[in-house]
Amino acid sequence: MRTLDDIFEEYDFLEGDERYSLLIELGRELEAMPDALKTDATLVRGCSAAVWVYPMDAEAKGDLHFLADSNAAITKGIVALVIAAVQDKPAAEVAKMDVMGALAPFDLKNQLSSNRTQGVPNMIALVQEHAARLAQTGG
């Protein structure tokens, strides 16, 4: 998966519909999430589209790894941005991270309709709650 900095470098160069195309491309690049994991327990509340986030078992070094998906192409791209911000980072780091701040350069609120971005804080909260639990248990 590309880093958030690499994605922003390309995103910043683009305009309008090209940015939508990049988000759709990012969504397609997400690691596949098996349908069996798309359950009510992994569903992110408050999103206009269906969004699922599943935390994988942490590696021995305690880094986080998530599978995620959405049933809407643009939303899936936004999901990919959130995942790029936290993927394979230490749980303790993600628990304290300003993920919204990391996404701020993308100016999603002004680029996309509010119903496409309304679930982003809920998704970030879910990811960070998992990270905090993992950091506490030392896993």
Side-chain angles (χ1 to χ4, degrees), residues 41-44 53 66 121-131:
T42 61
L43 187 67
V44 178
V53 176
F66 293 93
N122 295 352
M123 183 180 167
I124 291 169
L126 186 143
V127 165
Q128 289 190 301
E129 286 166 14
H130 177 72

Side-chain angles (χ1 to χ4, degrees), residues 24-127:
I24 291 167
E25 179 185 326
L26 290 172
R28 288 185 185 133
E29 291 174 5
L30 275 174
E31 188 175 345
M33 182 178 189
D35 286 341
L37 297 177
K38 297 175 188 173
T39 66
D40 195 54
T42 61
L43 187 67
V44 178
R45 308 284 177 235
C47 295
S48 59
V51 174
W52 301 272
V53 176
Y54 181 79
M56 299 290 290
D57 289 336
E59 299 293 322
K61 60 184 179 173
D63 289 354
L64 295 175
H65 192 83
F66 293 93
L67 294 180
D69 201 359
S70 176
N71 65 349
I74 297 282
T75 302
K76 190 171 178 177
I78 296 167
V79 168
L81 284 178
V82 174
I83 296 300
V86 301
Q87 194 75 296
D88 300 325
K89 290 193 165 113
E93 178 183 328
V94 173
K96 296 175 183 166
M97 184 179 183
D98 178 7
V99 179
M100 285 301 279
L103 297 176
F106 291 90
D107 195 25
L108 295 174
K109 287 192 187 268
N110 290 319
Q111 301 292 325
L112 304 167
S113 63
S114 62
N115 68 333
R116 286 206 170 112
T117 58
Q118 68 188 7
V120 171
N122 295 352
M123 183 180 167
I124 291 169
L126 186 143
V127 165

Side-chain angles (χ1 to χ4, degrees), residues 1 7 19 38 131:
M1 177 169 231
I7 296 167
R19 288 182 170 183
K38 297 175 188 173

